[in-house]
Amino acid sequence: MFDKSTWIRLPRNVVIGHGVLGQTLDAVEELHLSGRPLVVSSPTPHAVAGEKVVDQFAAAGYDPAEIVIEEASFDAVQRVIAHAEDADAGFAIGVGGGKAIDITKMAADDLGLGFVSVPTAASHDGIVSGRGSVPEGDTRHSVAAEPPLAVVADTEILAEAPWRLTTAGCADIISNYTAVRDWELAHRLKNVPYSEYAGALSQMTAEMLVENADSIKRNLEESSWIVVKALVSSGVAMSIAGSSRPASGAEHLFSHQLDRIAPGAALHGHQVGVGAIMTEYLHSGPNGRWRDVRDALGALGAPTTAEDLGIDRETVIEALTTAHEIRDRYTILGDGMSEEAAIEAATVTGVV
Ligand SMILES: NC(=O)c1ccc[n+]([C@@H]2O[C@H](COP(=O)([O-])OP(=O)(O)OC[C@H]3O[C@@H](n4cnc5c(N)ncnc54)[C@H](O)[C@@H]3O)[C@@H](O)[C@H]2O)c1
Ligand SMILES: O=P(O)(O)OC[C@@H](O)CO
Ligand SMILES: [Zn+2]
């Protein structure tokens, strides 16, 4: 008997465009959510968009509650849960970058509340995904979380955000190349479940972004449009897979390890991009496609070296040699790189 089953949870309303923040209320009302909204954001996104979302719902008679969180941590998730319970919230709206959105979707999952995603930066592909990513001690948890029922991505806001946030989003997408390679490898070597659809969608998303690289330019709102659509598409690939595998391989392990060793050094997307140059080298060798990955990142204005990231050579080598310890996810790093091999990979690729 065929007894497989799977749930693919996708957003119902994806609203992207100039000035669409003003349609957040419409996007929510169309979902027939009831009760009090809780608007969760971090300081800058609160000022940029969170307050406007609160005002919009207040004007419509909703009595919105709000909370501003400072960091992505399990403590922050607990604070949001407590605040939502105190406020008797009926649904949660996450407004911000990857951290605020992750915290909101994790709290919403715990409380069984509907979640709406309002990105203020095109910096990460967690905008749509049903995953939350939070560090804890020496490890990084990628946990199932409430996927958004609606996404409201205002390209005017995304375009006004610092340009480096957009280039970070581009790099998070370009890292899909190596993430898919790692996933295929884990499938072949360790029998890890693999989804052809999710793998193909993730890879195609990276290819389309690179093909459109000439149209991704600072001060051009269309750039935000192209990048956010790619971020949505990558999040859909994660939803189809039911894991972050299509978008997170060894290059993400490298970045998560950097977050521990050199917290706050660089943006998530920029770190995974530099990681992808080196892990592509590990996959395909000195004459392989690592130059294509590096050139695509460079063309989009994303970092390609340790210096660009603001980290030193020792930090890169330490992160490379210990990245496999971050979580139980088989990648090209296998059971770990030797120091000599890490120096070779980082040097040949020009990262250090
Ligand atoms: N759940 C997933 O599937 C997934 C996917 C990718 C990344 N992530 C996670 O997301 C995080 C990275 O996201 P991030 O790079 O957005 O980090 P972030 O949320 O810390 O945002 C980066 C900075 O941008 C600022 N910012 C956001 N919007 C702004 C705006 N309009 N104007 C000015 N400043 C603005 C924020 O205040 C913050 O200082 C990491 O924790 C990563 O693990 C999760
Ligand atoms: O599960 P992780 O490794 O946090 O990856 C999620 C996301 O960053 C993929 O782009
Ligand atoms: Zn990522």
Side-chain angles (χ1 to χ4, degrees):
M1 195 185 85
F2 183 80
D3 61 356
K4 269 181 159 181
S5 72
T6 187
W7 280 51
I8 298 174
R9 302 176 72 202
L10 299 167
R12 172 159 143 180
N13 295 330
V14 178
V15 187
I16 302 175
H18 183 91
V20 298
L21 188 74
Q23 296 171 31
T24 309
L25 178 68
D26 297 339
V28 166
E29 289 196 324
E30 208 264 346
L31 297 168
H32 309 294
L33 292 171
S34 56
R36 220 179 152 190
L38 171 64
V39 179
V40 183
S41 57
S42 59
T44 307
H46 181 70
V48 168
E51 282 171 2
K52 291 183 186 131
V53 172
V54 169
D55 291 348
Q56 211 177 115
F57 279 84
Y62 275 82
D63 187 22
E66 53 186 309
I67 181 168
V68 176
I69 49 119
E70 303 278 345
E71 85 291 324
S73 66
F74 284 103
D75 278 353
V77 176
Q78 288 309 320
R79 282 200 297 280
V80 173
I81 290 171
H83 198 74
E85 285 174 337
D86 286 350
D88 196 20
F91 57 97
I93 305 175
V95 181
K99 289 179 182 162
I101 286 179
D102 272 358
I103 296 307
T104 316
K105 66 169 81 150
M106 289 167 73
D109 187 68
D110 188 273
L111 294 162
L113 297 181
F115 160 59
V116 175
S117 173
V118 181
T120 57
S123 52
H124 64 99
D125 59 8
I127 291 169
V128 165
S129 78
R131 312 295 304 173
S133 181
V134 172
E136 187 179 47
D138 288 348
T139 188
R140 155 82 56 168
H141 298 280
S142 176
V143 295
E146 187 67 21
L149 293 165
V151 178
V152 181
D154 188 327
T155 51
E156 186 179 14
I157 292 174
L158 303 178
E160 279 173 10
W163 178 241
R164 64 192 182 91
L165 293 170
T166 308
T167 65
C170 293
D172 207 13
I173 294 297
I174 288 173
S175 80
N176 288 8
Y177 282 123
T178 46
V180 172
R181 273 173 164 275
D182 279 318
W183 195 15
E184 289 169 339
L185 183 75
H187 178 59
R188 289 196 294 268
L189 256 67
K190 303 287 179 186
N191 208 25
V192 166
Y194 181 77
S195 158
E196 299 275 357
Y197 285 105
L201 177 60
S202 175
Q203 189 166 330
M204 185 192 75
T205 302
E207 279 160 10
M208 286 181 65
L209 187 92
V210 170
E211 278 165 22
N212 281 303
D214 286 352
S215 309
I216 302 174
K217 293 196 176 78
R218 197 192 285 259
N219 300 327
L220 190 65
E221 190 171 332
E222 192 191 347
S223 307
S224 304
W225 173 270
I226 294 168
V227 178
V228 80
K229 281 206 300 186
L231 295 168
V232 167
S233 176
S234 186
V236 169
M238 287 191 258
S239 296
I240 293 172
S243 88
S244 61
R245 266 287 191 182
S248 170
E251 73 299 318
H252 271 67
L253 300 181
F254 169 75
S255 169
H256 296 332
Q257 195 60 311
L258 283 183
D259 287 342
R260 290 189 52 242
I261 306 169
L267 289 165
H268 167 84
H270 289 164
Q271 294 179 173
V272 302
V274 171
I277 299 172
M278 294 185 287
T279 63
E280 178 57 42
Y281 166 84
L282 297 178
H283 274 288
S284 55
N287 298 318
R289 293 190 57 193
W290 64 267
R291 285 187 186 81
D292 295 344
V293 174
R294 180 199 60 190
D295 293 349
L297 291 166
L300 289 159
T304 57
T305 66
E307 191 181 355
D308 294 344
L309 289 178
I311 56 173
D312 59 25
R313 172 191 163 93
E314 286 64 40
T315 304
V316 170
I317 305 307
E318 187 184 344
L320 269 183
T321 52
T322 56
H324 64 290
E325 296 166 3
I326 275 282
R327 66 151 75 113
D328 184 20
R329 173 165 291 192
Y330 193 81
T331 69
I332 191 70
L333 298 174
D335 60 3
M337 288 184 79
S338 70
E339 192 175 328
E340 295 71 27
I343 292 170
E344 172 94 3
T347 310
V348 172
T349 55
V351 167
V352 300

